[in-house]
Amino acid sequence: MTYIIQTTLTLGFVYSLVALALFLSYRILDIADLTTDGCYVLGMATSVTCAYYGHPFLGILLAIISGAMAGFTTAFLQTRLGVPSILSGIVTNTGLYTINLMIMGYSSNIALLKKETIFTIVKTIINNSWSDFLIVMIIAIICMLFMLWFLSTRLGLSIRATGDNKDMISASSINEKFTITVGLSLANCFTALCGALVGQMQKSADINAGTGIVVIGLACLIIGETVINGRKSIKRNIFAVLVGNIIYRFIYAIILQTRIFPIDFLKLVTAILVALAIAMPTLKANFNIYLRARKEGGNVKN
Amino acid sequence: MLKIESISKTFNPNTINEKLALNKLSLKVDTGDFITILGSNGAGKSTLFNAISGNFFVDEGRVFIDNDNVTFVPDFKRAKYIGRLFQDPLKGTAPNMTIEENLALAFLRAGKTKSTFSKISKNDENIFYEKLKMLEMGLEERMHTKVGALSGGQRQALSLLMATIVPPKLLLLDEHTAALDPQAAEKVMFLTKRIVEENNTTCLMITHHLKQGLHTGNRTLFMSDGKIILDLNEEERSKYTTNELLEKFKEGANKELDNDRIILSE
């Protein structure tokens, strides 16, 4: 049980970084950023390769910078070259596959056996089985507080308005191209940071590790929002990111532990969870109408 | 103040939907002018506003603001000195942000002294409070309400405040009261006149209300087919009756003023 709780919390906190990124791109900017999958692996590849050569901390830093570059590329395609937003993410994502392979020295996976990572370094200092959790928790909370602060600054407000009302932006002194670029670059910093941390934590990088990350991130975001009614305010929404991730990772850990489903089913279970989470408000509304119609004697079938 | 030299704009060129929306239009606006613009649907009134604010670049001709050639300056840069209101009250404000946050965005235009990462200060809040109080809608007590929860009239009044909180050199009003109920429309119009007078703002206003057009401001333009066909100053326009004006319009445009949307009555 302790194991389940520990994994749930550790993975919940670390993957909340991806959901935080999607909160910025999908919720705030209203752009479905499909760079996410490739960017996650980009962060992972960069950080693990650096750790392999003995620079775990530099690896994290470089991963964040590389994430910003990936986000910038997507934004550049979209704002300066007129590529539709979804397509520009896909284009960057496709290109990243090769770049990730290059970073990993044209091998599809790297293992960090007996190499130092930020997690092993911290473990030698505090020597506690919760040390991994402590690291990711502190980093995730810093990122969330940063996001909360950032979105209340003048630049943050401009980014929020960009996603909120296109007409208003075109008549205002806000440069949409700039705000989208900043927003997507920042979002992908978080995604890459997540990949970087996960890579060093599990001591390996795999070229296909990113498959489905964007869907899982969205699932967590939406689950959280549905559970705690997270769209009321920015503060609540950022908290919902964390809640959603912990719930999702708990279900994930239970499935892994109890084997109610074969592990190969995980992606399908994820997809169903996402669909359900997104459909929840509609289902709820329909069900309420159904109940009222039953009670008040209206015709239910249409 | 504003000088437009023979601008043209064609939409969908070389297609079956080709439309010459502005046809070698020229216009000179003096500082402090309050000009009303009347014309049928499709006369090019909104297109003229889009050309002035830089939503697109004109095909030919030049646009000057205070003797600066801004013909190729993008819209967000021109927005530093042009304020704009649309017919649709939803277009001027961000619904998922609070009243205070919306005003803070508008206040960005004051710019320069404010750093990118600064937050809304106590001082800003006080300014917003005083400005909102002027609207007499009680919005100053609801600064942390999301704008999406406000009525159309309230949103348009807020848009007006946002467009003028840093007084613009030029204010463009595109039928900004047409979508409001009569009471709200009157209120917004009253506020508009007051704010424009207070700051002596140069202002262009599109309207479909003939009487309003002729009794507001100091000059009235009639547009048809992408051209200005009648340009009357205060003295000239007061000499004519409504019917004589419609007759003159017919002469200039070679067609009747499309009555569907023009409100001729009191």
Side-chain angles (χ1 to χ4, degrees), chain B residues 58-136:
Chain B
V58 292
D59 296 335
E60 38 181 291
R62 290 185 295 178
V63 180
F64 294 87
I65 294 176
D66 279 345
N67 293 323
D68 271 345
N69 186 345
V70 297
T71 315
F72 299 105
V73 174
D75 52 3
F76 68 92
K77 282 190 181 154
R78 293 193 210 180
K80 284 215 161 61
Y81 32 82
I82 299 178
R84 194 166 182 200
L85 257 73
F86 300 95
Q87 179 178 359
D88 183 352
L90 306 185
K91 280 191 176 179
T93 44
N96 288 312
M97 297 170 67
T98 64
I99 294 179
E100 181 183 84
E101 288 167 342
N102 269 283
L103 284 169
L105 277 179
F107 211 48
L108 277 177
R109 266 212 310 237
K112 285 180 195 153
T113 54
K114 304 275 182 202
S115 107
T116 319
F117 294 109
S118 63
K119 296 178 107 173
I120 301 169
S121 67
K122 200 86 210 131
N123 189 26
D124 293 344
E125 265 179 43
N126 291 338
I127 295 173
F128 299 161
Y129 187 91
E130 288 307 316
K131 292 275 183 185
L132 282 168
K133 215 169 172 183
M134 269 172 42
L135 301 182
E136 293 164 4

Coordinates of all heavy atoms in Angstrom, one line a residue, chain B residues 58-136:
Chain B
V58 N -3.8 48.3 -47.2 CA -4.6 48.7 -48.4 C -3.8 48.3 -49.7 O -2.6 48.2 -49.7 CB -4.9 50.2 -48.4 CG1 -5.8 50.5 -47.3 CG2 -3.6 51.0 -48.3
D59 N -4.5 48.1 -50.8 CA -3.9 47.7 -52.0 C -3.1 48.9 -52.6 O -2.1 48.7 -53.2 CB -4.9 47.3 -53.1 CG -5.6 46.0 -52.6 OD1 -5.0 45.3 -51.8 OD2 -6.8 45.7 -53.0
E60 N -3.7 50.1 -52.5 CA -3.0 51.3 -53.0 C -3.4 52.5 -52.1 O -4.4 52.4 -51.4 CB -3.3 51.6 -54.4 CG -4.7 51.3 -54.9 CD -4.9 51.6 -56.4 OE1 -4.8 52.8 -56.8 OE2 -5.1 50.7 -57.2
G61 N -2.7 53.5 -52.2 CA -2.9 54.7 -51.4 C -2.1 54.7 -50.1 O -1.4 53.8 -49.8
R62 N -2.3 55.8 -49.3 CA -1.5 55.9 -48.1 C -2.3 56.4 -47.0 O -3.3 57.1 -47.1 CB -0.3 56.9 -48.4 CG 0.7 56.3 -49.3 CD 1.9 57.2 -49.4 NE 1.6 58.5 -50.1 CZ 2.4 59.4 -50.3 NH1 3.7 59.3 -49.9 NH2 2.1 60.5 -50.9
V63 N -1.9 56.0 -45.8 CA -2.6 56.5 -44.5 C -1.6 57.2 -43.6 O -0.5 56.7 -43.4 CB -3.2 55.3 -43.8 CG1 -3.9 55.7 -42.5 CG2 -4.1 54.5 -44.7
F64 N -2.0 58.4 -43.2 CA -1.1 59.2 -42.3 C -1.8 59.4 -41.0 O -3.0 59.8 -41.0 CB -0.7 60.5 -42.9 CG 0.1 60.4 -44.1 CD1 -0.4 60.3 -45.4 CD2 1.5 60.5 -44.0 CE1 0.3 60.2 -46.5 CE2 2.3 60.4 -45.2 CZ 1.7 60.3 -46.4
I65 N -1.1 59.2 -39.9 CA -1.6 59.7 -38.6 C -0.6 60.7 -38.0 O 0.6 60.3 -37.9 CB -1.9 58.5 -37.7 CG1 -3.0 57.6 -38.2 CG2 -2.2 59.0 -36.3 CD1 -3.2 56.4 -37.4
D66 N -1.1 61.9 -37.8 CA -0.1 63.0 -37.3 C 1.1 63.1 -38.2 O 2.2 63.1 -37.7 CB 0.3 62.7 -35.9 CG -0.8 63.2 -34.9 OD1 -1.7 63.9 -35.3 OD2 -0.7 62.8 -33.7
N67 N 0.9 63.0 -39.5 CA 1.9 63.2 -40.5 C 2.9 62.0 -40.5 O 3.9 62.1 -41.2 CB 2.7 64.5 -40.3 CG 1.8 65.7 -40.7 OD1 1.0 65.6 -41.6 ND2 2.0 66.7 -39.9
D68 N 2.6 60.9 -39.7 CA 3.4 59.7 -39.8 C 2.8 58.8 -40.9 O 1.6 58.5 -40.8 CB 3.4 58.9 -38.5 CG 4.5 59.4 -37.6 OD1 5.5 60.1 -38.1 OD2 4.5 59.1 -36.4
N69 N 3.6 58.3 -41.8 CA 3.0 57.4 -42.8 C 2.9 56.0 -42.1 O 3.9 55.3 -41.9 CB 4.0 57.3 -44.0 CG 3.4 56.4 -45.1 OD1 2.4 55.7 -44.9 ND2 3.9 56.6 -46.3
V70 N 1.7 55.6 -41.8 CA 1.4 54.3 -41.1 C 0.9 53.2 -42.0 O 0.4 52.2 -41.6 CB 0.5 54.5 -39.9 CG1 1.1 55.4 -38.9 CG2 -0.9 55.0 -40.3
T71 N 1.0 53.5 -43.4 CA 0.3 52.6 -44.3 C 0.7 51.1 -44.1 O -0.1 50.2 -44.2 CB 0.7 53.0 -45.8 OG1 0.6 54.4 -45.9 CG2 -0.2 52.3 -46.8
F72 N 2.0 50.9 -43.7 CA 2.5 49.5 -43.5 C 2.8 49.2 -42.1 O 3.5 48.2 -41.8 CB 3.6 49.2 -44.5 CG 3.3 49.4 -45.9 CD1 3.7 50.6 -46.6 CD2 2.5 48.5 -46.6 CE1 3.4 50.8 -47.9 CE2 2.1 48.7 -47.9 CZ 2.6 49.8 -48.6
V73 N 2.2 49.9 -41.2 CA 2.4 49.6 -39.7 C 1.3 48.6 -39.3 O 0.2 48.8 -39.6 CB 2.3 50.9 -38.9 CG1 2.4 50.6 -37.4 CG2 3.4 51.9 -39.3
P74 N 1.7 47.5 -38.7 CA 0.7 46.5 -38.3 C -0.3 47.0 -37.2 O 0.0 47.9 -36.5 CB 1.5 45.3 -37.8 CG 2.8 45.9 -37.4 CD 3.0 47.1 -38.3
D75 N -1.4 46.3 -37.2 CA -2.6 46.8 -36.3 C -2.2 47.0 -34.8 O -2.6 48.0 -34.2 CB -3.8 45.9 -36.5 CG -3.4 44.4 -36.2 OD1 -2.3 44.1 -35.9 OD2 -4.3 43.5 -36.4
F76 N -1.4 46.0 -34.3 CA -1.2 46.1 -32.8 C -0.3 47.4 -32.5 O -0.4 47.9 -31.4 CB -0.6 44.9 -32.2 CG 0.8 44.6 -32.7 CD1 1.9 45.0 -31.9 CD2 1.1 43.9 -33.8 CE1 3.2 44.7 -32.3 CE2 2.4 43.6 -34.2 CZ 3.4 44.0 -33.5
K77 N 0.4 47.8 -33.4 CA 1.2 49.0 -33.2 C 0.4 50.3 -33.3 O 0.5 51.2 -32.6 CB 2.4 49.1 -34.1 CG 3.5 48.2 -33.7 CD 4.8 48.4 -34.5 CE 5.9 47.5 -34.0 NZ 6.9 47.2 -35.1
R78 N -0.5 50.3 -34.3 CA -1.4 51.4 -34.5 C -2.4 51.5 -33.3 O -2.8 52.6 -32.9 CB -2.3 51.3 -35.8 CG -1.5 51.4 -37.0 CD -2.4 51.5 -38.2 NE -1.8 51.0 -39.4 CZ -2.4 51.0 -40.6 NH1 -3.6 51.5 -40.7 NH2 -1.8 50.4 -41.6
A79 N -2.7 50.3 -32.7 CA -3.6 50.3 -31.6 C -3.1 51.2 -30.4 O -3.9 51.5 -29.5 CB -3.9 48.9 -31.1
K80 N -1.9 51.5 -30.4 CA -1.3 52.3 -29.3 C -2.0 53.7 -29.3 O -2.1 54.3 -28.3 CB 0.2 52.5 -29.5 CG 1.0 51.3 -29.1 CD 2.3 51.7 -28.4 CE 2.8 50.5 -27.6 NZ 3.1 49.3 -28.4
Y81 N -2.4 54.2 -30.5 CA -3.1 55.5 -30.5 C -4.5 55.5 -31.1 O -5.1 56.5 -31.3 CB -2.2 56.6 -31.2 CG -1.3 56.1 -32.2 CD1 -1.7 55.9 -33.5 CD2 0.1 55.8 -31.9 CE1 -0.9 55.4 -34.5 CE2 0.9 55.3 -32.9 CZ 0.5 55.1 -34.2 OH 1.3 54.7 -35.2
I82 N -4.9 54.3 -31.5 CA -6.3 54.2 -32.0 C -7.2 53.3 -31.1 O -6.8 52.2 -30.8 CB -6.3 53.6 -33.4 CG1 -5.6 54.4 -34.4 CG2 -7.8 53.4 -33.9 CD1 -5.5 53.9 -35.8
G83 N -8.3 53.8 -30.6 CA -9.2 53.0 -29.8 C -10.3 52.6 -30.7 O -10.7 53.3 -31.6
R84 N -10.9 51.4 -30.4 CA -11.9 50.9 -31.3 C -13.0 50.2 -30.6 O -12.8 49.4 -29.7 CB -11.2 50.0 -32.4 CG -12.1 49.7 -33.5 CD -11.3 49.1 -34.6 NE -12.2 48.9 -35.7 CZ -12.0 48.1 -36.7 NH1 -11.0 47.4 -36.8 NH2 -12.9 48.0 -37.7
L85 N -14.3 50.5 -31.0 CA -15.4 49.7 -30.5 C -16.2 49.1 -31.6 O -16.4 49.8 -32.7 CB -16.3 50.7 -29.7 CG -16.2 50.6 -28.2 CD1 -14.9 51.2 -27.8 CD2 -17.3 51.3 -27.5
F86 N -16.7 47.9 -31.4 CA -17.5 47.2 -32.4 C -19.0 47.2 -32.1 O -19.4 47.4 -30.9 CB -17.0 45.8 -32.6 CG -15.6 45.7 -33.0 CD1 -14.6 45.5 -32.0 CD2 -15.2 45.8 -34.3 CE1 -13.2 45.4 -32.4 CE2 -13.9 45.7 -34.7 CZ -12.9 45.5 -33.7
Q87 N -19.8 46.8 -33.0 CA -21.2 46.7 -32.8 C -21.5 45.6 -31.8 O -22.3 45.7 -30.9 CB -21.9 46.3 -34.1 CG -23.4 46.1 -34.0 CD -24.0 45.8 -35.3 OE1 -23.4 45.8 -36.4 NE2 -25.3 45.6 -35.3
D88 N -20.8 44.4 -31.9 CA -20.9 43.3 -31.0 C -20.2 43.6 -29.7 O -19.0 43.7 -29.6 CB -20.3 42.1 -31.7 CG -20.6 40.8 -30.9 OD1 -21.0 41.0 -29.7 OD2 -20.3 39.7 -31.4
P89 N -21.0 43.7 -28.6 CA -20.4 44.1 -27.3 C -19.5 43.0 -26.8 O -18.7 43.2 -25.9 CB -21.6 44.3 -26.4 CG -22.8 43.7 -27.0 CD -22.5 43.6 -28.5
L90 N -19.6 41.8 -27.4 CA -18.7 40.7 -26.9 C -17.3 40.8 -27.5 O -16.4 40.2 -27.0 CB -19.3 39.3 -27.4 CG -20.7 39.0 -27.0 CD1 -21.1 37.6 -27.4 CD2 -20.9 39.2 -25.5
K91 N -17.1 41.7 -28.5 CA -15.8 41.7 -29.2 C -14.8 42.5 -28.4 O -13.6 42.4 -28.7 CB -16.0 42.3 -30.6 CG -16.5 41.3 -31.6 CD -16.4 41.9 -33.0 CE -16.8 40.9 -34.0 NZ -16.7 41.4 -35.4
G92 N -15.2 43.4 -27.5 CA -14.3 44.3 -26.9 C -13.6 43.9 -25.6 O -12.7 44.5 -25.1
T93 N -14.1 42.8 -25.0 CA -13.6 42.4 -23.7 C -13.4 40.9 -23.7 O -13.9 40.1 -24.5 CB -14.7 42.7 -22.6 OG1 -16.0 42.3 -23.1 CG2 -14.8 44.1 -22.3
A94 N -12.5 40.4 -22.7 CA -12.2 39.0 -22.6 C -13.1 38.4 -21.5 O -13.0 38.8 -20.3 CB -10.7 38.8 -22.2
P95 N -14.0 37.5 -21.9 CA -15.1 37.1 -21.0 C -14.6 36.3 -19.7 O -15.2 36.4 -18.7 CB -16.0 36.2 -21.9 CG -15.1 35.8 -23.0 CD -14.1 36.9 -23.2
N96 N -13.5 35.5 -19.9 CA -13.0 34.7 -18.8 C -12.1 35.5 -17.9 O -11.4 34.9 -17.0 CB -12.4 33.4 -19.3 CG -13.5 32.5 -19.8 OD1 -14.5 32.3 -19.2 ND2 -13.2 32.0 -21.0
M97 N -11.9 36.8 -18.1 CA -11.0 37.5 -17.2 C -11.9 38.5 -16.4 O -13.0 38.9 -16.9 CB -10.0 38.2 -18.0 CG -9.1 37.2 -18.7 SD -8.0 37.9 -20.0 CE -6.9 38.9 -18.9
T98 N -11.4 39.0 -15.3 CA -12.2 39.9 -14.5 C -12.2 41.3 -15.0 O -11.4 41.6 -15.9 CB -11.7 39.9 -13.0 OG1 -10.4 40.5 -13.1 CG2 -11.6 38.5 -12.4
I99 N -13.1 42.1 -14.5 CA -13.2 43.5 -15.0 C -11.8 44.2 -14.8 O -11.3 44.8 -15.7 CB -14.3 44.2 -14.1 CG1 -15.7 43.7 -14.5 CG2 -14.2 45.7 -14.4 CD1 -16.8 44.3 -13.7
E100 N -11.3 43.9 -13.6 CA -10.0 44.5 -13.3 C -8.9 44.1 -14.3 O -8.1 44.9 -14.8 CB -9.6 44.2 -11.9 CG -8.3 44.8 -11.4 CD -8.0 44.2 -10.0 OE1 -7.4 43.1 -9.9 OE2 -8.3 44.9 -9.0
E101 N -8.9 42.8 -14.6 CA -7.8 42.3 -15.5 C -8.0 42.9 -16.9 O -7.0 43.2 -17.6 CB -7.9 40.8 -15.5 CG -7.3 40.1 -14.3 CD -7.6 38.7 -14.1 OE1 -8.6 38.2 -14.8 OE2 -7.0 38.0 -13.3
N102 N -9.3 43.0 -17.3 CA -9.5 43.6 -18.6 C -9.0 45.0 -18.7 O -8.4 45.5 -19.6 CB -11.0 43.6 -18.9 CG -11.4 42.3 -19.7 OD1 -11.2 42.2 -20.9 ND2 -12.0 41.3 -19.0
L103 N -9.3 45.8 -17.6 CA -8.9 47.2 -17.6 C -7.4 47.3 -17.6 O -6.7 48.1 -18.2 CB -9.5 47.9 -16.4 CG -10.9 48.3 -16.5 CD1 -11.5 48.7 -15.2 CD2 -11.1 49.4 -17.6
A104 N -6.7 46.3 -16.8 CA -5.3 46.3 -16.8 C -4.7 46.1 -18.1 O -3.7 46.7 -18.5 CB -4.8 45.2 -15.8
L105 N -5.3 45.3 -19.0 CA -4.9 45.0 -20.3 C -4.9 46.3 -21.1 O -4.0 46.7 -21.9 CB -5.7 44.0 -21.0 CG -5.4 42.6 -20.7 CD1 -6.3 41.7 -21.5 CD2 -3.9 42.3 -21.2
A106 N -6.1 47.0 -21.0 CA -6.3 48.3 -21.7 C -5.3 49.3 -21.3 O -4.8 50.1 -22.1 CB -7.7 48.8 -21.5
F107 N -4.9 49.2 -20.0 CA -4.0 50.2 -19.4 C -2.6 50.0 -19.9 O -1.7 50.8 -19.8 CB -4.1 50.1 -17.9 CG -3.8 51.4 -17.2 CD1 -4.5 52.5 -17.6 CD2 -2.9 51.4 -16.1 CE1 -4.2 53.7 -16.9 CE2 -2.7 52.6 -15.5 CZ -3.3 53.8 -15.9
L108 N -2.3 48.8 -20.5 CA -1.0 48.5 -21.1 C -0.6 49.5 -22.1 O 0.6 49.8 -22.2 CB -1.1 47.1 -21.8 CG -0.9 45.8 -21.0 CD1 -1.1 44.7 -21.9 CD2 0.4 45.8 -20.3
R109 N -1.6 50.1 -22.8 CA -1.2 51.1 -23.8 C -0.4 52.2 -23.2 O 0.4 52.8 -23.9 CB -2.5 51.6 -24.4 CG -2.9 50.9 -25.7 CD -3.6 51.8 -26.6 NE -4.7 52.5 -25.9 CZ -5.9 52.5 -26.2 NH1 -6.3 51.8 -27.3 NH2 -6.8 53.2 -25.6
A110 N -0.7 52.5 -21.9 CA 0.0 53.6 -21.3 C 1.5 53.2 -21.2 O 2.4 54.1 -21.2 CB -0.5 53.8 -19.9
G111 N 1.7 51.9 -21.2 CA 3.0 51.2 -21.4 C 4.2 51.9 -20.9 O 4.2 52.5 -19.8
K112 N 5.2 51.7 -21.6 CA 6.6 52.3 -21.4 C 7.0 52.2 -19.9 O 8.0 51.6 -19.6 CB 6.6 53.7 -21.9 CG 6.7 53.7 -23.4 CD 6.8 55.1 -24.0 CE 6.5 55.0 -25.5 NZ 5.9 56.2 -26.1
T113 N 6.3 52.9 -19.0 CA 6.8 52.9 -17.6 C 6.5 51.5 -17.0 O 7.2 51.2 -16.0 CB 6.1 54.0 -16.8 OG1 4.7 53.8 -16.9 CG2 6.5 55.4 -17.3
K114 N 5.6 50.8 -17.5 CA 5.2 49.5 -16.8 C 6.1 48.4 -17.4 O 6.2 48.2 -18.6 CB 3.8 49.2 -17.1 CG 2.8 50.2 -16.7 CD 2.4 50.1 -15.2 CE 1.4 51.2 -14.8 NZ 1.4 51.5 -13.4
S115 N 6.7 47.6 -16.5 CA 7.5 46.4 -17.0 C 6.5 45.3 -17.3 O 5.4 45.2 -16.8 CB 8.5 46.0 -15.9 OG 8.1 44.8 -15.4
T116 N 7.1 44.4 -18.2 CA 6.3 43.3 -18.7 C 5.8 42.4 -17.5 O 4.7 41.8 -17.6 CB 7.2 42.4 -19.6 OG1 8.0 43.3 -20.4 CG2 6.4 41.5 -20.4
F117 N 6.6 42.3 -16.5 CA 6.3 41.3 -15.4 C 5.6 42.0 -14.2 O 5.5 41.3 -13.2 CB 7.5 40.5 -15.0 CG 8.0 39.7 -16.1 CD1 9.2 40.0 -16.8 CD2 7.3 38.6 -16.5 CE1 9.6 39.2 -17.8 CE2 7.7 37.8 -17.6 CZ 8.9 38.1 -18.2
S118 N 5.3 43.3 -14.3 CA 4.6 43.9 -13.2 C 3.2 43.4 -13.0 O 2.6 43.0 -14.0 CB 4.7 45.4 -13.4 OG 3.9 45.8 -14.5
K119 N 2.7 43.5 -11.8 CA 1.3 43.1 -11.6 C 0.5 44.3 -11.4 O 1.0 45.5 -11.4 CB 1.3 42.3 -10.3 CG 2.1 41.0 -10.4 CD 2.0 40.2 -9.1 CE 1.2 39.0 -9.1 NZ 1.0 38.1 -8.1
I120 N -0.8 44.1 -11.3 CA -1.8 45.2 -11.1 C -1.5 45.8 -9.7 O -1.6 45.1 -8.7 CB -3.2 44.7 -11.1 CG1 -3.5 44.1 -12.5 CG2 -4.2 45.9 -10.9 CD1 -4.8 43.3 -12.6
S121 N -1.2 47.1 -9.6 CA -0.8 47.7 -8.3 C -2.0 48.3 -7.7 O -3.1 48.5 -8.3 CB 0.3 48.8 -8.6 OG -0.3 49.8 -9.3
K122 N -1.8 48.7 -6.4 CA -2.9 49.3 -5.7 C -3.3 50.6 -6.4 O -4.5 51.0 -6.5 CB -2.4 49.6 -4.3 CG -3.4 49.9 -3.2 CD -3.9 48.6 -2.6 CE -5.4 48.7 -2.2 NZ -6.3 47.7 -2.6
N123 N -2.3 51.3 -6.9 CA -2.5 52.6 -7.6 C -3.4 52.4 -8.8 O -4.4 53.1 -9.1 CB -1.2 53.2 -7.9 CG -1.3 54.6 -8.5 OD1 -2.3 55.3 -8.2 ND2 -0.4 55.0 -9.3
D124 N -3.1 51.3 -9.6 CA -3.9 51.0 -10.8 C -5.3 50.7 -10.3 O -6.3 51.2 -11.0 CB -3.4 49.7 -11.4 CG -2.0 49.9 -12.1 OD1 -1.6 51.1 -12.2 OD2 -1.3 48.9 -12.4
E125 N -5.5 49.9 -9.3 CA -6.8 49.6 -8.8 C -7.6 50.8 -8.5 O -8.8 50.9 -8.8 CB -6.7 48.7 -7.5 CG -6.8 47.2 -7.8 CD -6.6 46.4 -6.6 OE1 -7.3 46.7 -5.6 OE2 -5.9 45.4 -6.7
N126 N -7.0 51.8 -7.8 CA -7.7 53.0 -7.5 C -8.1 53.8 -8.8 O -9.2 54.3 -8.8 CB -6.8 54.0 -6.7 CG -6.6 53.4 -5.3 OD1 -7.4 52.5 -4.8 ND2 -5.5 53.8 -4.6
I127 N -7.2 53.8 -9.8 CA -7.6 54.5 -11.0 C -8.8 53.8 -11.6 O -9.8 54.4 -12.0 CB -6.4 54.4 -12.0 CG1 -5.2 55.3 -11.5 CG2 -6.8 55.0 -13.4 CD1 -4.0 55.2 -12.3
F128 N -8.7 52.4 -11.7 CA -9.8 51.7 -12.3 C -11.1 51.9 -11.5 O -12.2 52.1 -12.1 CB -9.6 50.1 -12.3 CG -8.3 49.8 -13.0 CD1 -7.7 48.5 -12.8 CD2 -7.8 50.6 -14.0 CE1 -6.5 48.2 -13.5 CE2 -6.6 50.2 -14.7 CZ -6.0 49.0 -14.4
Y129 N -11.0 52.0 -10.2 CA -12.2 52.2 -9.4 C -12.9 53.6 -9.7 O -14.1 53.6 -10.0 CB -11.8 52.2 -7.9 CG -13.0 52.3 -6.9 CD1 -13.6 51.1 -6.5 CD2 -13.5 53.5 -6.5 CE1 -14.7 51.2 -5.6 CE2 -14.6 53.6 -5.6 CZ -15.2 52.4 -5.2 OH -16.2 52.4 -4.3
E130 N -12.1 54.6 -9.8 CA -12.6 55.9 -10.1 C -13.2 55.9 -11.5 O -14.3 56.5 -11.7 CB -11.5 57.0 -10.1 CG -11.0 57.3 -8.6 CD -12.2 57.7 -7.7 OE1 -13.0 58.4 -8.1 OE2 -12.2 57.2 -6.6
K131 N -12.5 55.3 -12.5 CA -13.0 55.3 -13.9 C -14.3 54.6 -14.0 O -15.3 55.0 -14.6 CB -12.0 54.7 -14.8 CG -10.7 55.5 -14.9 CD -10.9 56.6 -16.0 CE -9.6 57.3 -16.2 NZ -9.7 58.4 -17.1
L132 N -14.4 53.4 -13.3 CA -15.6 52.6 -13.3 C -16.8 53.3 -12.7 O -17.9 53.2 -13.1 CB -15.4 51.3 -12.6 CG -14.6 50.2 -13.4 CD1 -14.2 49.1 -12.5 CD2 -15.5 49.7 -14.6
K133 N -16.5 54.1 -11.7 CA -17.5 54.8 -11.0 C -18.2 55.8 -11.9 O -19.4 56.0 -11.8 CB -16.9 55.6 -9.8 CG -17.8 55.7 -8.6 CD -17.0 56.2 -7.4 CE -17.9 56.5 -6.2 NZ -17.2 57.0 -5.1
M134 N -17.4 56.4 -12.8 CA -17.9 57.3 -13.8 C -19.1 56.7 -14.7 O -19.9 57.4 -15.2 CB -16.8 57.8 -14.7 CG -16.1 59.1 -14.3 SD -14.7 59.4 -15.3 CE -15.4 59.0 -17.0
L135 N -19.0 55.4 -14.8 CA -20.0 54.8 -15.7 C -21.4 54.7 -15.0 O -22.4 54.5 -15.6 CB -19.6 53.3 -16.1 CG -18.3 53.2 -16.8 CD1 -18.1 51.7 -17.1 CD2 -18.3 54.0 -18.1
E136 N -21.4 54.9 -13.7 CA -22.6 54.8 -12.9 C -23.4 53.5 -13.1 O -24.6 53.5 -13.3 CB -23.5 56.0 -13.2 CG -22.8 57.3 -12.7 CD -23.5 58.6 -13.3 OE1 -24.5 58.4 -14.0 OE2 -23.0 59.7 -13.0

